[in-house]
Amino acid sequence: MKVRALFFASYREIMGGAEFDVDLPDGATVSDLITLLRGRSDAASVLPSDPAVAVNRSYRTSDALLADGDEVAVIPPVAGG
Amino acid sequence: MKVRALFFASYREIMGGAEFDVDLPDGATVSDLITLLRGRSDAASVLPSDPAVAVNRSYRTSDALLADGDEVAVIPPVAGG
Amino acid sequence: MMSRARITTEPIEPQALLAGVGDPSRGAVILFLGVVRNHNDGHGVEGIRYDAYDEMARGTLEEILVEAEERYGVGHLAAVHRVGELGIGEVSVAIAVSSAHRAEAFDASRYVIEEIKVRLPVWKKERFEDGTSEWVAGKQPEVSAEGGA
Amino acid sequence: MMSRARITTEPIEPQALLAGVGDPSRGAVILFLGVVRNHNDGHGVEGIRYDAYDEMARGTLEEILVEAEERYGVGHLAAVHRVGELGIGEVSVAIAVSSAHRAEAFDASRYVIEEIKVRLPVWKKERFEDGTSEWVAGKQPEVSAEGGA
């Protein structure tokens, strides 16, 4: 399956891009995706191993199962207001 | 000595006027003034015996001594805001 | 410059009050408005007349602002209370606070309105839909022996 | 009609937000403004860039307003967060609440800003006077197993 990973703010700078399409095996979780993303480059290894993540615009825990076509945003600590 | 007594809102209606000059013996207290005011008329007897009072625009207790020329406001329960 | 504690017969302009507390070092601004509403205790209200002991009320309001500044360490406060005949939806009281941080801005704003309710020498008479009117039961100011409420 | 939960690149107009929550049955109105200030942790700040995950942030802001309504029983809330480049003194976030009584208006307003700070997907980068800039350290949203933050 394929998911779209989105990055914002400092994570966008770390990853060198705002979004990537990522191929994952069926049954992959949020945690699996993060592991894969952190292995993408030396810079990417700076990404936390358990960041906040939103799947299809709702926060989800790291053990949440992903599905084909999901939009998975890796959310840096928020600083609105 | 002479003081000026001021009335507002419901107390003004009870007393039938906004202000009265009142003669008091030297050494009179806020409490003495209230007693005298309550004896002014049947209507005036409805005035509480221990209302909030401001002397020269500051709240004072009933045992406060009055002085010639004081402005003594008898303050109904307040309802601002 | 307009005083920061005012009793006025003119309509209150919240925007002007807000502008008065603005400052580049303040990150949180709170505006509180008391508005005449169309009901109270189940009665339909058509309007309210506010009366004040003007000469005292301005000083009491200033005192309350100073206390809020000292308690919460906020820098800029302004408050205005309107008197006279007010219709539904009109602003009776406005309080503006600005502060470096939000917690003390909330606390200061709350302090000012609570103190206004228990000590500002202001009274209100509600006009009901049935043509009657009545002084609203208020709060007896607590007076301490040292003077002040 | 304008949505009551908005993420916008346009300057925020507090007066319009206030007008949107007005209602003859509401006696207390609170407007909270977050304003870009000229310092943070001892650094001179020249401006801030706010970024958001727009598509999610609007929904999260709406969720927060619904929660505030349910918790505090207040009727009318509206909130807007600005994104893009902001200068000193510009409003970054505005929250308007109206309610029959003041206690719940204060509580609801406070709830909304506190929740914005811990879960709205928005980030800010400060531009300092020395020409450098830096992402502001934020709060890690707490995510529960049922979903939602």
Side-chain angles (χ1 to χ4, degrees):
Chain A
M1 66 179 176
K2 194 176 290 235
V3 303
R4 171 153 296 190
L6 307 184
F7 299 92
F8 300 91
S10 57
Y11 291 179
R12 185 174 293 180
E13 294 175 359
I14 288 170
M15 299 301 292
E19 49 183 88
F20 303 101
D21 286 330
V22 181
D23 283 308
L24 286 171
D26 283 353
T29 63
V30 164
S31 185
D32 296 330
L33 172 64
I34 298 299
T35 302
L36 194 147
L37 289 166
R38 295 178 77 225
R40 245 181 114 88
S41 67
D42 279 358
S45 68
V46 173
L47 209 65
S49 56
D50 191 15
V53 166
V55 179
N56 301 327
R57 304 168 188 179
S58 289
Y59 288 109
R60 288 289 177 264
T61 50
S62 59
D63 57 358
L65 286 172
L66 296 176
D68 188 55
D70 277 350
E71 176 180 295
V72 186
V74 188
I75 309 272
V78 301
Chain B
M1 66 177 175
K2 194 175 291 235
V3 302
R4 171 153 295 190
L6 307 185
F7 299 93
F8 300 91
S10 58
Y11 291 179
R12 185 174 293 180
E13 294 175 0
I14 287 169
M15 298 303 291
E19 49 183 90
F20 303 102
D21 286 328
V22 181
D23 282 307
L24 286 171
D26 282 353
T29 63
V30 164
S31 186
D32 295 330
L33 172 65
I34 298 300
T35 302
L36 194 148
L37 289 166
R38 295 179 76 226
R40 243 181 116 89
S41 68
D42 279 358
S45 69
V46 173
L47 208 65
S49 57
D50 191 14
V53 166
V55 179
N56 301 328
R57 304 169 189 179
S58 290
Y59 288 109
R60 289 287 178 265
T61 50
S62 60
D63 57 357
L65 286 173
L66 296 176
D68 189 55
D70 277 349
E71 176 180 295
V72 186
V74 189
I75 309 273
V78 301
Chain C
M1 195 184 126
M2 216 174 256
S3 170
R4 65 182 192 151
R6 289 189 304 130
I7 308 296
T8 180
T9 56
E10 301 295 313
I12 292 173
E13 291 175 11
Q15 202 76 353
L17 204 71
L18 272 182
V21 301
D23 179 312
S25 69
R26 316 282 163 191
V29 176
I30 293 174
L31 176 70
F32 175 89
L33 301 177
V35 179
V36 176
R37 60 198 167 104
N38 60 5
H39 65 92
N40 192 17
D41 275 343
H43 289 64
V45 174
E46 288 206 324
I48 294 185
R49 191 180 94 224
Y50 282 90
D51 280 1
Y53 179 11
D54 282 50
E55 298 83 354
M56 177 174 170
R58 211 210 62 79
T60 303
L61 192 52
E62 172 67 28
E63 262 174 38
I64 293 170
L65 298 185
V66 169
E67 289 167 10
E69 281 174 359
E70 288 174 353
R71 280 180 180 236
Y72 303 108
V74 293
H76 287 61
L77 289 105
V80 53
H81 200 300
R82 192 166 164 206
V83 292
E85 294 285 345
L86 274 72
I88 303 301
E90 286 199 271
V91 176
S92 55
V93 61
I95 301 160
V97 182
S98 72
S99 173
H101 301 288
R102 67 191 180 280
E104 64 257 25
F106 274 103
D107 289 344
S109 178
R110 187 76 193 266
Y111 180 82
V112 172
I113 184 62
E114 297 303 331
E115 291 298 308
I116 283 174
K117 296 257 177 191
V118 298
R119 34 194 284 224
L120 198 69
V122 171
W123 303 274
K124 59 183 170 190
K125 193 169 200 173
E126 292 179 332
R127 294 192 310 278
F128 300 115
E129 285 166 346
D130 64 8
T132 61
S133 66
E134 206 167 279
W135 290 105
V136 173
K139 300 276 183 189
Q140 169 97 352
E142 282 179 30
V143 181
S144 64
E146 308 82 50
Chain D
M1 194 183 127
M2 217 174 255
S3 169
R4 65 184 192 148
R6 289 189 304 128
I7 308 295
T8 182
T9 57
E10 300 296 313
I12 291 172
E13 291 175 12
Q15 202 75 353
L17 204 72
L18 272 182
V21 301
D23 179 312
S25 68
R26 315 284 163 188
V29 176
I30 293 175
L31 175 70
F32 175 88
L33 302 177
V35 179
V36 176
R37 60 198 166 104
N38 60 4
H39 64 94
N40 191 17
D41 275 343
H43 289 64
V45 174
E46 288 206 323
I48 293 184
R49 191 179 94 225
Y50 282 90
D51 280 2
Y53 178 11
D54 282 52
E55 299 83 355
M56 176 174 171
R58 211 210 63 78
T60 303
L61 191 52
E62 173 69 25
E63 262 175 38
I64 293 170
L65 297 185
V66 169
E67 289 168 11
E69 280 174 0
E70 289 175 352
R71 281 178 180 236
Y72 303 108
V74 293
H76 287 58
L77 289 106
V80 54
H81 201 300
R82 191 167 164 206
V83 292
E85 295 286 344
L86 274 72
I88 302 303
E90 286 200 270
V91 175
S92 55
V93 62
I95 301 161
V97 181
S98 73
S99 172
H101 301 288
R102 67 191 179 281
E104 64 257 25
F106 275 104
D107 289 344
S109 178
R110 187 76 195 265
Y111 180 81
V112 173
I113 184 62
E114 297 302 333
E115 291 298 307
I116 283 174
K117 296 259 178 190
V118 298
R119 38 194 279 223
L120 197 68
V122 171
W123 303 273
K124 60 184 170 190
K125 193 170 199 172
E126 292 179 332
R127 292 192 312 276
F128 301 114
E129 286 166 347
D130 63 8
T132 63
S133 67
E134 207 168 279
W135 290 104
V136 173
K139 300 275 185 190
Q140 169 97 352
E142 283 180 29
V143 181
S144 64
E146 308 83 49

